[in-house]
Amino acid sequence: ICTELGHRLKRRRLAALLTREEVAERAGLSPGAVRNLENRGAATTETLVRVVQALGAVDELDALFRPRATSID
């Protein structure tokens, strides 16, 4: 799951025509931290969130953790 998430973020970065260095600068991270996330899915939660923010994908991350409505039926 983590590796696939990293690959998806890389595809998103490339679609936005951003370099790894540009994303790292926007996120306040080293290019190596972004590379580790993209290639291996290895990152802290903070790194993941910073990259998601740098890519403008916060709404998608928020939707992932939004509570689901439950019925009392």
Side-chain angles (χ1 to χ4, degrees), residues 25-38:
E25 186 175 326
R26 289 181 182 192
L29 299 167
S30 70
V34 177
R35 182 180 58 246
N36 285 339
L37 173 58
E38 289 182 345

Side-chain angles (χ1 to χ4, degrees), residues 8-28:
R8 289 179 186 184
L9 289 170
K10 181 177 183 176
R11 286 192 296 272
R12 179 125 188 184
R13 173 180 63 77
L14 294 172
L17 302 175
L18 293 169
T19 67
R20 189 175 284 140
E21 290 74 16
E22 289 169 324
V23 170
E25 186 175 326
R26 289 181 182 192

Side-chain angles (χ1 to χ4, degrees), residues 31-49:
V34 177
R35 182 180 58 246
N36 285 339
L37 173 58
E38 289 182 345
N39 294 339
R40 299 184 304 133
T44 65
T45 305
E46 181 177 359
T47 295
L48 172 65
V49 170

